[in-house]
Amino acid sequence: MEVGAYVPVALFLFAVIALVFAPLMTWVERKQSALMQDRIGANRADILGIKAIGLLHPIADAIKMITKEDTVPDGGDRLLHTLAPIIATVPAMISFAVIPYGGSYQAWGAEWDLVVADLDYGVLYIFAVASLATYGNVLAGWASNNNWGMLGGIRVAAQMISYEVAMGVSAVGVFMIFGTLRLTDMGFAQQETFRLLGFVEHLGWVGAGTWWVELIKIPMWGIFLQPLAFFLFLTALMAENKRAPFDIPEGESEIIAGYFIEYSGMKFGLFYMGEWVEVVVISGLMTAMFLGGWSIPYLPDDVLVEFLRHGVGLNMANVLAMIAHVATFFLKVIVLIWFQQLIRWSVPRFRYDQVMNLGWKILLPLSLANIVITGLGILIIGEIMN
Amino acid sequence: MTEQVIFYVSAFVALISAAGVVLNVRNTLYAALCLVITMLSLAVLFILLNAEFIGVLQVMVYAGAIVVLFLFVIMLLNIRGGDMGADRQPVLKVIGTLLIVGASVKLVPLLSESRRAWPEVGPEFGTVRAIGGTLYTDYLLAFEIAGVLLLAGIVGAVVMGKQRID
Amino acid sequence: MIEAWEYQVVAGLLFMIGTLGVLVRRNVIVIVMCIELMLNAANLSLIAFSRQWGNHDGQIFVFMVIVVAAVEVAVGLAIILRLVSNRDTVNIEDTSLLKW
């Protein structure tokens, strides 16, 4: 549980992600859906005539939600009704703690680790915390004293439990490859490259150092080593996030709004806030596990620092590398957010039985098969290498 | 010092919420929520005892899955009240309570007799790697049997929960 | 420094609370919850002993207990669902067909 000397830096960035990225997601969501549906999208909010392509809408939304009347339904449970949105939102926010958005840098005699908590069981922490968010949604459905809300709550519970299994099992392949659950270690491991045709040399078909064997090098990113796991894990995470096409708990055409049917004002906003923060968490986690984390492809951290130090000295080189890495990380995160929005606005909602079938009959068997194949692969590659 | 504070606070919370499970007669859902709080504070105690992996597992499995199942069933059956029907055996309940209180009074001094110093443990203690190493070597058979048990449990639950069409 | 016996006292009291719940509550769901409490008390005790002896055996036992608890809850709640659909009660006093 070593925490770097400059935790404030990490915490600052952490706050930036949670508090800036999430409201920004409302804008992204509106603009992307408008783009895909050939509309213009949000562009009316303005301050003194400055419209900023609709970027002011999150502020307008926040003001609207805070000033709206907060109602608790008759016969509902006031305590749980108030607690539920908080329970739903907080886990999403604290999940960020273990996601590294930069490596480790030495500058001015101190170590700068760009992760708030570098835990040995990093990914498990996210799983554990994410599973607690279920309570918020289930309790919201219960406390509303509304049949639709109740149905939504039951659906959330069923969907969460079903997809937690697939989520955990599909990630195992990645743990096997990298041999760790610590997300920073995964980040460092993914900076290496491997030769796609290296097995030819190890089998003794060609001599060492043949040029076309050396030519094709691929970064050791999770997505290249575990392509199946990437899609299985992303699907499971998106189902955990319960946005379209997995939004059966709130499916407005069937059960109106599901578990948050009786919510208004900022309590309602918190549920959405939680979902949007979760989109960012999912993207961050996928980036750290599958897309090489903060690293720039073909450019390991130490090579970058070594290259930069000739011009500006060691301290500044580390700072520049840090900036480059954080920018790379967020670029990858933004790509994944965009990808999730693309899916969200392209695919129609699943039926309830389809969601259950997908989780139990497709994702879970494929994940188990992936574990077996990965194990065999590790064994065979180990044999060839020796 | 920090350790003491964390220990006493989470032990207190664990015991109070455990009592809440038993004492929440009116609302089964609140009993389930008390159970979650017990699980979470126990997870804190586990991590305090350097059993980090088991602590996270506790949150994941107990708080994240088992109690959600309880909530699922409570909501599915829509049990808004607590114990249905009148209280039938008040005398037996009083006797049971007295027995338990008496046993606790005897138990606490007994348990506090055995004092023993902690050994120092390395940073590897309780990590995923260390637990996995023990689990897949010394306890491999037990692990496999646990897997079979889970399969049997899945089959049993499916058979039990199936609505018979007749 | 917290010592082993303090954890054991907490575990013992937790176990007693669980037993009390099984004895005095008549709601089947709450009884299963109280069994979970007892299992958790045992878990705490095992983890404390694991720390006391500095080896991982206790933690492995807890791992197994968690597996068994998960299975127990899955099957137990399925039984409760059947019970409710057949007899329309969660009170354990009403399920006395096998009682002499």
Side-chain angles (χ1 to χ4, degrees):
Chain A
M1 279 205 230
E2 315 83 24
V3 179
Y6 278 84
V7 181
V9 177
L11 279 177
F12 172 72
L13 281 167
F14 174 77
V16 168
I17 312 166
L19 299 176
V20 175
F21 246 82
L24 216 56
M25 284 294 299
T26 65
W27 178 78
V28 172
E29 175 133 310
R30 284 176 168 183
K31 278 293 181 188
Q32 174 118 16
S33 67
L35 204 67
M36 292 177 69
Q37 294 163 355
D38 200 14
R39 296 185 283 114
I40 297 171
N43 67 345
R44 293 298 169 87
D46 65 295
I47 297 175
L48 303 173
I50 302 164
K51 285 183 178 167
I53 50 168
L55 269 173
L56 297 174
H57 270 266
I59 302 169
D61 283 342
I63 293 170
K64 183 188 80 182
M65 282 183 171
I66 291 168
T67 51
K68 232 178 171 182
E69 189 194 353
D70 173 37
T71 55
V72 177
D74 276 352
D77 191 317
R78 179 169 283 275
L79 174 70
L80 292 184
H81 192 269
T82 312
L83 268 180
I86 301 170
I87 303 176
T89 313
V90 167
M93 294 208 165
I94 60 176
S95 312
F96 276 117
V98 294
I99 295 176
Y101 30 83
S104 174
Y105 309 93
Q106 276 87 32
W108 294 287
E111 188 154 340
W112 303 48
D113 288 332
L114 287 194
V115 57
V116 177
D118 188 12
L119 298 178
D120 171 59
Y121 41 83
V123 184
L124 288 186
Y125 167 83
I126 293 185
F127 289 174
V129 164
S131 63
L132 291 181
T134 317
Y135 285 102
N137 305 321
V138 174
L139 291 179
W142 169 274
S144 298
N145 192 27
N146 179 311
N147 284 341
W148 305 118
M150 190 79 138
L151 278 176
I154 292 175
R155 287 183 177 195
V156 172
Q159 186 175 335
M160 291 299 121
I161 293 178
S162 304
Y163 277 88
E164 253 160 46
V165 180
M167 178 178 77
V169 175
S170 58
V172 170
V174 183
F175 304 156
M176 287 164 79
I177 294 271
F178 295 121
T180 179
L181 271 73
R182 194 192 288 262
L183 284 166
T184 47
D185 285 354
M186 283 188 195
F188 285 117
Q190 292 181 71
Q191 294 181 359
E192 323 230 320
T193 54
F194 69 99
R195 294 171 303 169
L196 189 62
L197 300 172
F199 66 93
V200 184
E201 187 187 301
H202 282 290
L203 285 173
W205 295 347
V206 295
T210 314
W211 66 271
W212 51 270
V213 173
E214 299 289 334
L215 193 65
I216 308 173
K217 278 189 178 165
I218 292 181
M220 271 182 119
W221 286 7
I223 188 171
F224 297 123
L225 300 172
Q226 289 281 315
L228 182 59
F230 175 81
F231 290 105
L232 295 174
F233 194 55
L234 183 61
T235 314
L237 282 177
M238 286 187 70
E240 284 280 303
N241 191 16
K242 56 198 173 315
R243 280 154 53 85
F246 297 100
D247 62 344
I248 52 154
E250 58 188 83
E252 64 271 8
S253 51
E254 305 164 34
I255 52 172
I256 311 179
Y259 55 85
F260 49 66
I261 185 166
E262 295 284 5
Y263 279 86
S264 68
M266 202 57 213
K267 284 187 193 168
F268 171 80
L270 274 180
F271 282 113
Y272 266 94
M273 179 100 168
E275 282 188 10
W276 280 316
V277 175
E278 239 171 90
V279 172
V280 186
V281 172
I282 290 171
S283 307
L285 180 63
M286 294 298 290
T287 306
M289 281 174 71
F290 289 96
L291 295 184
W294 63 86
S295 66
I296 304 166
Y298 303 109
L299 195 60
D301 286 5
D302 43 350
V303 177
L304 179 66
V305 171
E306 197 58 38
F307 172 74
L308 287 172
R309 72 178 293 182
H310 292 305
V312 291
L314 188 60
N315 290 337
M316 277 316 284
N318 269 298
V319 172
L320 285 177
M322 181 156 78
I323 293 168
H325 284 153
V326 172
T328 315
F329 180 81
F330 283 115
L331 187 69
K332 290 170 181 173
V333 167
I334 287 167
V335 169
L336 275 174
I337 290 175
W338 165 78
F339 185 62
Q340 287 185 58
Q341 294 288 3
L342 200 67
I343 296 171
R344 190 233 181 283
W345 289 104
S346 314
V347 187
R349 177 183 307 128
F350 286 111
R351 263 193 342 254
Y352 187 62
D353 59 321
Q354 287 173 330
V355 168
M356 289 297 145
N357 278 347
L358 180 68
W360 287 107
K361 295 186 184 167
I362 299 176
L363 287 189
L364 186 60
L366 279 179
S367 313
L368 288 171
N370 186 48
I371 293 178
V372 175
I373 294 167
T374 309
L376 277 177
I378 290 173
L379 266 184
I380 291 169
I381 290 172
E383 281 297 308
I384 293 174
M385 288 289 192
N386 295 326
Chain B
M1 188 57 213
T2 330
E3 198 193 336
Q4 256 113 341
V5 172
I6 295 173
F7 171 79
Y8 286 116
V9 168
S10 36
F12 183 73
V13 171
L15 289 175
I16 291 293
S17 51
V21 176
V22 179
L23 297 178
N24 246 314
V25 187
R26 281 207 314 244
N27 196 333
T28 316
L29 191 96
Y30 273 70
L33 293 181
C34 285
L35 190 65
V36 181
I37 297 171
T38 314
M39 303 298 180
L40 292 179
S41 36
L42 279 178
V44 173
L45 289 181
F46 289 0
I47 291 174
L48 206 58
L49 283 164
N50 296 48
E52 297 175 356
F53 174 60
I54 299 291
V56 175
L57 211 63
Q58 170 93 359
V59 178
M60 245 174 97
V61 179
Y62 266 117
I66 291 182
V67 185
V68 175
L69 267 182
F70 277 113
L71 284 188
F72 181 73
V73 169
I74 292 169
M75 289 176 76
L76 201 64
L77 303 178
N78 207 352
I79 307 167
R80 292 243 170 212
D83 294 352
M84 292 176 183
D87 209 345
R88 283 174 220 173
Q89 294 163 319
V91 182
L92 285 182
K93 283 185 182 176
V94 172
I95 295 173
T97 314
L98 287 178
L99 276 177
I100 292 294
V101 172
S104 309
V105 170
K106 288 297 279 182
L107 188 73
V108 170
L110 245 153
L111 284 176
S112 44
E113 256 174 35
S114 63
R115 286 168 196 248
R116 218 190 131 84
W118 294 117
E120 286 295 316
V121 289
E124 273 290 296
F125 185 78
T127 57
V128 184
R129 185 177 293 275
I131 301 279
T134 319
L135 194 61
Y136 285 105
T137 53
D138 296 350
Y139 292 92
L140 185 60
L141 184 64
F143 182 72
E144 303 260 342
I145 292 173
V148 176
L149 183 70
L150 272 178
L151 179 66
I154 293 172
V155 174
V158 168
V159 171
M160 289 301 301
K162 214 161 93 180
Q163 299 287 334
R164 283 195 198 90
I165 304 158
D166 50 16
Chain C
M1 187 72 189
I2 309 293
E3 284 174 33
W5 68 271
E6 295 181 73
Y7 285 99
Q8 302 301 347
V9 166
V10 174
L13 288 177
L14 207 56
F15 191 88
M16 283 302 169
I17 294 172
T19 322
L20 179 68
V22 174
L23 288 180
V24 302
R25 295 297 303 268
R26 300 291 86 182
N27 185 330
V28 189
I29 298 178
V30 177
I31 289 180
V32 179
M33 284 184 206
C34 289
I35 294 174
E36 292 304 314
L37 274 184
M38 290 156 78
L39 286 173
N40 268 287
N43 284 357
L44 179 61
S45 182
L46 284 167
I47 296 268
F49 280 128
S50 158
R51 176 68 180 77
Q52 176 174 331
W53 297 107
N55 68 23
H56 291 117
D57 294 355
Q59 299 189 20
I60 304 284
F61 295 158
V62 173
F63 182 86
M64 299 298 166
V65 170
I66 290 178
V67 171
V68 173
V71 173
E72 175 230 315
V73 166
V75 178
L77 289 178
I79 292 174
I80 292 173
L81 282 180
R82 297 305 304 163
L83 175 72
V84 172
S85 66
N86 284 338
R87 306 194 65 87
D88 200 24
T89 178
V90 287
N91 191 327
I92 203 159
E93 307 265 334
D94 295 337
T95 55
S96 50
L97 276 182
L98 288 176
K99 215 162 141 189
W100 45 272

